[in-house]
Amino acid sequence: MNAPDPTALPLRDIHLPGAIGAWPPAPGWWVLLALAMVVLIMLAILLVRRRRYQVQREAANELADILKNFSQNQNERMAIRGISQLLRRVSITLDPGSAAHTGDTWFDTLSALGQEHVPDDIKQALTTLPYSHPDDDAGGSETLPRLSAFVSSWIEGTRK
C-alpha cells in the first residue's frame, strides 16, 4: 500500500470558533435579572408599608397623648386643635401634595387616605371648634369622643 501524498489532498487546517459574544446573555442571566427585579419591587413595597405602619403607630400614640392631656386639663378646644394638627401632619406625611389642600379638598384627601368618608359633623368640628372663642361651648361634650373615635378609625384606615 502506497501512502497517499499529503500535498495532493485538499484538506485545510482546523479552524477554531470565534470568541463568544456577551449578547444575548444565557437564559440563566435572564432568570437572575427577573428574580432580582421581583426582589427589589417586593423590598420597595415592604419599605412603604413599614413607613405607613410607623406613621400610623406614631399617630395613634399622639392621639392617645392628646386625649390624656384632655383628661387632665378638660380643655376640649385645645384637644380638638391638637387632633386637627395631628390629622394635617399625618396627611402631609402620607401625601405631601395635601399640604396645599384646604376646605373640602382637604376633607376629600382625608377620605381618600383613611378609606372612609369624613362625616359632616366632624368637618364642622375640625373647621370651627379649634378657632372658636374659649367661652363658646359650640362643641358640646359629645364632640370630642366622636371626633377621637373617627380619628382613631381613620388612622387605622390609612394602612393600604
Side-chain angles (χ1 to χ4, degrees):
M1 225 162 107
N2 289 339
D5 185 15
T7 58
L9 295 176
L11 297 177
R12 298 184 194 167
D13 197 15
I14 297 175
H15 293 283
L16 297 176
I20 297 175
W23 196 259
W29 289 109
W30 288 108
V31 170
L32 185 64
L33 177 67
L35 184 63
M37 289 177 64
V38 167
V39 167
L40 286 176
I41 290 171
M42 290 177 67
L43 183 63
I45 291 171
L46 181 67
L47 289 175
V48 167
R49 284 188 180 176
R50 182 174 180 220
R51 180 174 176 257
R52 277 192 179 267
Y53 180 72
Q54 182 180 7
V55 168
Q56 184 182 35
R57 186 178 60 236
E58 289 176 8
N61 289 341
E62 190 167 338
L63 178 63
D65 289 344
I66 291 170
L67 295 176
K68 180 181 171 187
N69 288 340
F70 170 72
S71 68
Q72 292 172 354
N73 63 20
Q74 296 298 313
N75 189 341
E76 184 178 36
R77 190 171 55 93
M78 191 169 80
I80 293 173
R81 183 180 298 151
I83 290 173
S84 177
Q85 292 170 352
L86 172 66
L87 283 172
R88 179 63 75 171
R89 285 196 322 271
V90 171
S91 68
I92 290 171
T93 301
L94 296 176
D95 178 18
S98 69
H101 297 169
T102 58
D104 288 336
T105 309
W106 184 59
F107 289 119
D108 292 341
T109 302
L110 286 180
S111 296
L113 288 174
Q115 301 176 353
E116 80 178 79
H117 177 70
V118 180
D120 290 336
D121 61 333
I122 300 297
K123 290 179 184 180
Q124 190 271 340
L126 289 172
T127 54
T128 60
L129 292 180
Y131 311 105
S132 64
H133 192 271
D135 296 333
D136 292 343
D137 189 20
S141 60
E142 70 279 348
T143 302
L144 186 60
R146 178 146 164 70
L147 179 62
S148 63
F150 168 77
V151 172
S152 179
S153 69
W154 180 84
I155 290 170
E156 288 294 321
T158 58
R159 185 183 298 179
K160 289 185 179 178

